[in-house]
Amino acid sequence: MLPPLAPEEQSHSLRLAAHIREALAAAGGWLSFERFMELALYAPGLGYYSAGSVKLGAGGDFVTAPEVSDLFSRCIARQCAAVLMRTGGGILELGAGTGRMAAALLTELAAQHALPERYAILEVSADLAQRQRERLACLPPALRERVVWLERLPAQPLHGVMLANEVADALPCRRFRFGAGGLSELGVVLDAASDGPTTSSTPVRFRDGAVTADASLARAVDEILTGLPEPLPPGYTSEVCLRIAPWIDALSACLARGLLLLCDYGLSRRHYYHPQRVSGTLRCHFRQRAHDDPYINLGVQDITAWVDFTRVAEAAVGAGLEVSGFATQAAFLLGLGVEGLVTEAGAGIERTRLAGEARRLLVPEEMGEAFKMMALCRDLDIPLAGFALQDLRHLL
Ligand SMILES: C[S@@+](CC[C@H](N)C(=O)[O-])C[C@H]1O[C@@H](n2cnc3c(N)ncnc32)[C@H](O)[C@@H]1O
């Protein structure tokens, strides 16, 4: 059971539903799921990330690793320090959420005398960018003055580190199904009950609508199948994010030398498209509850899909980057000495608190296994401690 919407959430949701209904009508009655997800998350002023709901943190819909504990960001800071030592330059964080990771990273890098020349943030959500500004305004001036917000990727390629924690899973994806008639694309149509005239308070309902897959989707699914050890059963439904490659291309074009570090929940392809994962990985998050109905709570719930890290790796190689590491979050944090950060807190209540946070980040039943870290490098010839404990051949 999901909690009911507050009245203002209800009216927000109705406004977004009406907007999507118009887009659906303009498109002839069918929208790809990718377009639906784009509108649900990013429609100006209405989408989940474009409007004012709390989103991240204990009072929001979901909690990310930087929100669970600064231990996560302090470990990332150690990895950044090693890279910055070699490359100089700065850090660019994509999709910085509440700004908590930026604050913790800068604080740790200052403690290690390894501050970047500049800490740039590229954030598509105006609402979250405002929260980041408020949070980072509390930093000491020597740190605060290094932070800048960008409207687009920098024209001048970066030396240093690019970071994206839980951004790839927020890129809109397409959905497919193997049916009796072959491969189809699952898009979005209006539910029959919503066919009539509507008023501002009439609920509009959407549902899955299957059409024959077009050439781009068919090619992508073919490529997926080619790399799998066994065929997928009839009825198998999943998703594929065709925006990964252009996104990685764009990021690669901005990296002159250094590390692009991606953190997200995801799998290598053969695990992602496992025959037993018959319904895919699409998930919605609303007030700390996960469910799989993207057509409810429009604009007030997050919609995500896990990341196919093989797709990321292929895109990176295609863009001229080296895939230098792939590790579970647990292996990454242990490689960077997270245990030491807990033990150095002494024996009191602070240590107990940190140990609890570390547990949440590390154990497989929580975030330790499902979340992965991938290192994509250009012209960087240093060992990366975060990837020392895991051999990427076993994972890809
Ligand atoms: C799930 S939240 C993660 C926030 C933060 N990184 C964290 O871990 O707490 C996704 C973030 O990515 C941002 N975002 C989504 N698409 C983006 C894109 N193409 N470029 C940059 N940021 C993006 C969202 O606005 C949001 O800040």
Side-chain angles (χ1 to χ4, degrees):
M1 284 288 283
L2 294 171
L5 301 191
E8 63 280 9
E9 290 176 321
Q10 187 73 47
S11 52
H12 178 92
S13 201
L14 285 172
R15 281 199 303 279
L16 178 57
H19 180 70
I20 295 176
R21 184 187 169 134
E22 277 171 29
L24 197 62
W30 183 89
L31 281 181
S32 69
F33 189 83
E34 182 188 66
R35 180 67 182 138
F36 167 82
M37 185 168 165
E38 183 170 45
L39 291 170
L41 297 184
Y42 306 109
L46 289 171
Y48 179 71
Y49 282 109
S50 314
S53 69
V54 177
K55 300 182 261 290
L56 294 104
D61 302 303
F62 57 93
V63 180
T64 59
E67 300 290 329
V68 167
S69 176
D70 286 342
L71 290 169
F72 178 80
S73 308
R74 292 178 67 195
C75 288
I76 291 197
R78 289 178 165 194
Q79 192 64 92
C80 291
V83 175
L84 290 170
M85 195 92 76
R86 180 58 64 99
T87 62
I91 293 178
L92 167 60
E93 185 181 355
L94 303 146
T98 65
R100 181 162 172 178
M101 182 157 98
L105 257 163
L106 282 164
T107 305
E108 182 70 19
L109 287 169
Q112 297 190 19
H113 307 288
L115 276 172
E117 285 164 14
R118 181 171 95 149
Y119 194 105
I121 294 177
L122 177 61
E123 173 57 70
V124 293
S125 161
D127 165 55
L128 285 174
Q130 183 52 31
R131 276 169 78 182
Q132 293 155 17
R133 283 194 168 86
E134 283 162 20
R135 182 184 282 265
L136 298 173
C138 304
L139 287 174
L143 307 190
R144 191 176 65 218
E145 66 200 15
R146 285 168 206 264
V147 185
V148 293
W149 280 264
L150 307 180
E151 294 291 320
R152 59 190 67 83
L153 286 168
Q156 186 71 29
L158 175 91
H159 285 71
V161 183
M162 283 185 194
L163 298 169
N165 189 62
E166 285 206 46
V167 180
D169 71 280
L171 298 178
C173 59
R174 290 172 79 176
R175 298 180 73 205
F176 63 86
R177 174 174 290 163
F178 292 109
L183 178 69
S184 54
E185 172 161 12
L186 280 192
V188 181
V189 294
L190 210 54
D191 196 63
S194 306
D195 256 353
T198 50
T199 67
S200 59
S201 59
T202 317
V204 181
R205 288 186 206 291
F206 302 102
R207 63 172 174 80
D208 293 343
V211 298
T212 305
D214 69 10
S216 62
L217 182 64
R219 196 169 43 247
V221 174
D222 254 6
E223 282 164 14
I224 290 169
L225 293 176
T226 309
L228 298 182
E230 45 190 324
L232 298 174
Y236 191 90
T237 303
S238 193
E239 55 287 316
V240 55
C241 185
L242 299 185
R243 297 201 179 184
I244 288 281
W247 186 61
I248 295 289
D249 265 352
L251 298 181
S252 165
C254 293
L255 186 65
R257 184 181 188 202
L259 166 69
L260 165 56
L261 182 63
L262 301 179
C263 328
D264 232 305
Y265 40 103
L267 296 161
S268 63
R269 183 165 296 154
R270 68 196 159 94
H271 296 294
Y272 192 113
Y273 298 103
H274 191 280
Q276 283 173 359
R277 204 181 299 283
V278 289
S279 315
T281 68
L282 196 77
R283 290 290 173 275
C284 305
H285 298 272
F286 179 64
R287 300 214 193 125
Q288 312 297 334
R289 285 155 174 94
H291 67 91
D292 58 8
D293 187 350
Y295 304 127
I296 60 168
N297 298 346
L298 287 172
V300 293
Q301 70 178 12
D302 194 17
I303 307 174
T304 70
W306 284 34
V307 174
D308 168 4
F309 274 101
T310 307
R311 179 168 295 278
V312 176
E314 287 169 354
V317 170
L321 293 167
E322 186 182 342
V323 182
S324 307
F326 183 47
T328 61
Q329 178 171 296
F332 177 84
L333 296 177
L334 291 168
L336 286 159
V338 69
E339 286 166 299
L341 292 176
V342 175
T343 49
E344 78 189 22
I349 190 144
E350 173 66 0
R351 176 165 169 170
T352 310
R353 182 181 68 79
L354 287 180
E357 292 177 0
R359 185 180 185 286
R360 216 170 146 194
L361 293 173
L362 293 172
V363 299
E365 310 82 68
E366 300 246 12
M367 302 180 105
E369 287 278 340
F371 284 80
K372 309 288 191 303
M373 322 292 287
M374 182 168 265
L376 306 174
C377 294
R378 171 159 293 129
D379 193 14
L380 189 67
D381 50 354
I382 58 165
L384 296 172
F387 298 91
L389 296 179
Q390 208 142 44
D391 182 341
L392 93 159
R393 284 170 308 177
H394 296 307
L395 288 160
L396 278 177

